[in-house]
Amino acid sequence: MNPKVSIVVPIFNIENYLRRCLDSLLMQTLKDIEIIAVNDGSTDGSGAILAEYASKDARLVVIDKQNGGVSAARNDGILASRGDYIGFVDPDDWIDLDMYTSLYETAVQEKADIVMCSYLREFGTHSKLKEYQLPEKVCFRNEDVQTMVMRRIVGPLNEEIANPEMLDAWGTVWSKLYRSDLIKDNQIQFIDLSIIGTNEDSLFNIHAVYYAHSFVFLNKPYYHYWRVNGTSLTSGYNPDLQNKFLKLYEQIETFLQEKKLDSDFFTALNNRICLNALGLGLNTISLNNKASIWQKMSKLRFILNDKRIKDSFQHLEMKHFSTIWRVFFFSAKFRLVPAFYFMLVAIDNLRKMVR
């Protein structure tokens, strides 16, 4: 008999946090689960920890493989999964003990293809709630799943652009539970980060939500997203991030064209490209980038002069931004590089102070 839920955990050199994660999974109040731990060629003590836990609990299934990246590890986990539903957890994070009870029961009661919860960002000394301005429970069905959820994952429209920090708040896979058949029947997979650089979660969800007929959002923070791990994929400097972002946009645009979706989706993508100027800028000015200030400014100028990015900014409406964000994106739109650079430095310092 299949378990109710399969939880896929991609693991690479994460021994310092792995026990915390595994404890939160194995102590779930929903007992009829399997945990598929994909050991992606770890060279630290992660393998030994997995072997120890697997010897004590048969629900933990360990897959050892050569290092191929987080996307390949998750894809292998999907293939090995037997559950009626599939969830994803990253190994430096942890979850509330009743997370999968709540998500699974909601999925069954609402006949939902996908159920999503909110989350807490964990900084070691404190937590910060990711706030969604929505009721405790929202159900989307039929065409609303595409026009209200999928479109939001593609990018923001109108008043939504006022909060750039919410750009990918709907796109994470680890906050969701998916009907297994939805993923497997439509052959939905994660694309390698070596191709798109980041946002593999959002791209996966664009495909998954397109095929979904029902989506439920629970405004309860069951998931704990650890922001202290300095080796995380979201930290550091990526010198090729711009090219990979452009490939990501191409992947999204091709999918929208193939499915003949309306103009709102393409406007949302353009807005995503504009808001991603913030991420590209912060990557460029990163302390891990050892270039001089002038070299960083030159890189920023190169980014803002890219044809795809320039074209997107031509259509960006800035009336919904607060004053500060309006000035920031005005400097990006009109390629005022010194202003853009110094605002990026201020934003970077501010986010470190208030996180």
Side-chain angles (χ1 to χ4, degrees), residues 306-353:
D306 176 85
K307 185 179 185 304
R308 186 69 177 92
I309 295 173
K310 280 173 62 176
D311 288 347
S312 295
F313 269 111
Q314 286 181 0
H315 300 95
L316 178 67
E317 292 187 8
M318 293 190 285
K319 63 184 178 182
H320 298 293
F321 286 124
S322 65
T323 300
I324 295 297
W325 283 123
R326 194 175 302 157
V327 172
F328 175 79
F329 286 107
F330 180 90
S331 68
K333 181 174 184 175
F334 293 99
R335 299 178 296 286
L336 307 176
V337 174
F340 185 58
Y341 172 82
F342 286 109
M343 289 200 73
L344 283 167
V345 172
I347 291 169
D348 193 37
N349 289 331
L350 184 61
R351 67 175 183 160
K352 292 172 182 175
M353 291 171 56

Side-chain angles (χ1 to χ4, degrees), residues 154-339:
V154 171
L157 289 180
N158 303 319
E159 294 86 353
E160 294 167 353
I161 69 171
N163 299 296
E165 70 278 4
M166 294 295 288
L167 178 60
D168 290 310
W170 286 84
T172 59
V173 295
W174 35 253
S175 59
K176 297 177 178 66
L177 187 66
Y178 304 84
R179 185 170 56 81
S180 179
D181 289 347
L182 175 77
I183 303 302
K184 294 182 177 181
D185 290 353
N186 293 293
Q187 299 180 322
I188 301 169
Q189 292 190 318
F190 290 91
I191 292 184
D192 199 297
L193 288 174
S194 66
I195 298 172
I196 60 172
T198 185
N199 284 117
E200 80 284 5
D201 282 23
S202 292
L203 190 55
F204 180 93
N205 275 314
I206 287 170
H207 288 243
V209 176
Y210 172 81
Y211 292 106
H213 296 288
S214 50
F215 184 107
V216 178
F217 173 74
L218 299 178
N219 206 353
K220 296 180 180 179
Y222 293 118
Y223 195 94
H224 298 259
Y225 173 38
W226 185 243
R227 295 299 306 272
V228 185
N229 181 10
T231 63
S232 169
L233 287 169
T234 57
S235 65
Y237 168 61
N238 184 345
D240 198 36
L241 188 61
Q242 179 186 357
N243 290 330
K244 291 179 177 178
F245 266 22
L246 293 172
K247 290 177 182 176
L248 169 68
Y249 307 150
E250 183 181 341
Q251 292 268 353
I252 296 174
E253 189 167 42
T254 298
F255 187 76
L256 301 181
Q257 290 170 342
E258 288 176 350
K259 303 306 179 184
K260 297 181 171 58
L261 295 168
D262 66 37
S263 61
D264 279 353
F265 288 86
F266 293 90
T267 301
L269 176 57
N270 279 339
N271 289 341
R272 164 180 282 278
I273 292 170
C274 294
L275 266 58
N276 274 158
L278 173 61
L280 287 172
L282 291 172
N283 177 67
T284 301
I285 69 161
S286 168
L287 293 176
N288 292 316
N289 179 4
K290 301 306 180 183
S292 68
I293 291 177
W294 308 113
Q295 289 171 320
K296 290 180 180 181
M297 284 193 183
S298 178
K299 177 64 174 178
L300 293 174
R301 183 174 291 105
F302 180 80
I303 291 170
L304 296 177
N305 277 290
D306 176 85
K307 185 179 185 304
R308 186 69 177 92
I309 295 173
K310 280 173 62 176
D311 288 347
S312 295
F313 269 111
Q314 286 181 0
H315 300 95
L316 178 67
E317 292 187 8
M318 293 190 285
K319 63 184 178 182
H320 298 293
F321 286 124
S322 65
T323 300
I324 295 297
W325 283 123
R326 194 175 302 157
V327 172
F328 175 79
F329 286 107
F330 180 90
S331 68
K333 181 174 184 175
F334 293 99
R335 299 178 296 286
L336 307 176
V337 174

